[in-house]
């Protein structure tokens, strides 16, 4: 019998990540009754958001990314939910538990991923959020068991996600890390056959999918003798996003609110 995950179409633009996509698709389409919680972690720039947005598209799931403040996040979430259901403005939410109740109701009759991206930022705004997730899932388990919400909580702030995974109220049915691509995968990503040139490119920009296209202006070194000129055209070119990327990553990676 064909598995439910096999019916979730793989995105055409997805590079590699077969194992990660398979695990996410299997979790999102798991037909067993009752809710489930998955946590997706990994360094910035490795494609977590792209994977989750494509998973939502492929399954009809619900994706939401954190906003700047709790009030803004809840307002945007309410607007997005209204756009999804077409039922008019929802009742005024008192907090995240009310919002989560409204979200998991989308999965009343079938498995459905409900994705909260930027979860550490949401927790920073609302420290009660992990407990709210646990409370909502516990109530669904204690109910008739028909709800099959597949909640996916995603974040790049690794220390925060690790603390959440290890905390008493928060347990996960799926834990998946979207790690860095290795040197050989990077060579295929950049479409470089020369191993020396591939190693040079990897030493400068690693193998992050985020650096391959828009950030580098769709520019790859043509051969070894073009490498220095390519660095000047892209990595050292302040008109391209790649020039600013390293500083942005360093600023955002540490757990600054610990």
């Amino acid at each position: 019998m064909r598995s439910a995950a096999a019916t979730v179409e793989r995105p055409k633009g997805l590079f590699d990540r077969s194992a990660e996509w398979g695990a996410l698709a299997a979790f999102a389409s798991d037909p067993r009754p009752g809710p489930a919680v998955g946590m997706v972690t990994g360094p910035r720039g490795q494609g977590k958001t792209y994977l989750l947005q494509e998973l939502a598209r492929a399954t009809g799931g619900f994706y939401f990314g954190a906003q700047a403040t709790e009030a803004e996040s809840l307002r945007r979430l309410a607007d997005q939910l209204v756009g999804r259901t077409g039922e008019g403005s929802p009742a005024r939410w008192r907090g995240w538990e009310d919002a989560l109740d409204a979200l998991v109701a989308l999965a009343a009759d079938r498995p459905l991923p409900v994705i909260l991206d930027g979860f550490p930022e949401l927790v920073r705004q609302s420290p009660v959020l992990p407990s709210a997730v646990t409370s909502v899932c516990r109530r669904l388990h204690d109910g008739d068991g028909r709800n099959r919400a597949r909640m996916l909580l995603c974040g790049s702030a690794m220390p925060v996600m690790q603390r959440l995974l290890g905390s008493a109220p928060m347990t996960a049915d799926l834990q998946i890390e979207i790690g860095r691509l290795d040197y050989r995968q990077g060579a295929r990503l950049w479409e470089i056959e020369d191993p020396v040139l591939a190693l040079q490119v990897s030493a400068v920009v690693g193998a992050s999918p985020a650096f391959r296209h828009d950030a580098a202006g769709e520019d790859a070194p043509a051969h070894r003798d073009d490498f220095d000129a390519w660095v000047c055209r892209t990595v050292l070119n302040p008109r391209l996003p790649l020039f600013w990327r390293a500083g942005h990553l360093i600023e955002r990676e540490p757990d600054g609110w610990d």
Side-chain angles (χ1 to χ4, degrees):
M1 180 181 295
R2 194 181 187 194
S3 69
T7 66
V8 180
E9 183 178 359
R10 175 186 169 88
K12 291 181 174 60
L14 179 61
F15 176 81
D16 207 288
R17 304 298 191 193
S18 296
E20 293 89 340
W21 178 259
L24 289 170
F27 176 81
S29 56
D30 186 347
R32 290 177 294 179
V37 176
M39 302 193 82
V40 181
T41 63
R44 296 184 186 278
Q46 303 308 311
K48 296 184 300 299
T49 292
Y50 175 77
L51 271 172
L52 294 173
Q53 289 176 335
E54 289 299 320
L55 181 70
R57 291 190 187 100
T59 59
F62 187 92
Y63 172 92
F64 178 76
Q67 303 298 310
T69 65
E70 179 184 47
E72 179 69 5
S73 289
L74 288 172
R75 185 182 68 78
R76 290 285 185 90
L77 180 58
D79 290 344
Q80 199 170 317
L81 186 60
V82 167
R84 169 65 179 260
T85 62
E87 295 180 354
S89 299
R92 182 176 177 81
W93 292 334
R94 292 166 296 179
W96 268 104
E97 194 155 338
D98 289 347
L100 292 172
D101 279 334
L103 287 178
V104 298
L106 297 172
D109 56 1
R110 69 180 181 95
L112 187 92
V114 174
I115 301 163
L116 297 180
D117 201 358
F119 193 68
E121 286 78 9
L122 292 173
V123 174
R124 182 186 183 187
Q125 301 165 9
S126 312
V128 299
L129 181 53
S131 296
V133 171
T134 300
S135 175
V136 168
C137 289
R138 185 179 295 121
R139 279 192 278 105
L140 292 177
H141 274 297
D142 293 342
D144 57 22
R146 289 184 295 179
N147 187 287
R148 286 172 286 174
R150 306 294 178 241
M151 297 191 66
L152 283 166
L153 316 175
C154 177
S156 299
M158 302 292 285
V160 178
M161 297 299 285
Q162 288 165 359
R163 284 201 301 272
L164 291 173
L165 285 169
S167 65
M170 177 66 72
T171 58
D173 303 282
L174 172 76
Q175 299 177 28
I176 183 169
E177 179 177 351
I178 310 299
R180 292 181 173 88
L181 299 171
D182 64 26
Y183 149 74
R184 292 175 180 81
Q185 292 169 313
R188 291 192 287 111
L189 175 68
W190 285 88
E191 300 176 335
I192 297 174
E193 296 183 2
D194 181 341
V196 174
L197 179 59
L199 185 58
Q200 289 177 306
V201 171
S202 180
V204 174
V205 296
S208 169
F211 294 165
R212 171 61 181 94
H213 297 290
D214 292 342
E218 295 288 347
D219 188 352
H223 45 73
R224 293 188 202 181
D225 292 339
D226 185 41
F227 175 73
D228 289 350
W230 171 78
V231 171
C232 293
R233 294 195 306 266
T234 58
V235 183
L236 301 180
N237 183 352
R239 293 190 298 274
L240 290 180
L242 188 55
F243 179 84
W244 308 100
R245 237 18 213 282
H248 292 164
L249 289 172
I250 290 172
E251 290 169 4
R252 297 176 67 186
E253 187 64 27
D255 182 11
W257 7 291
D258 188 338

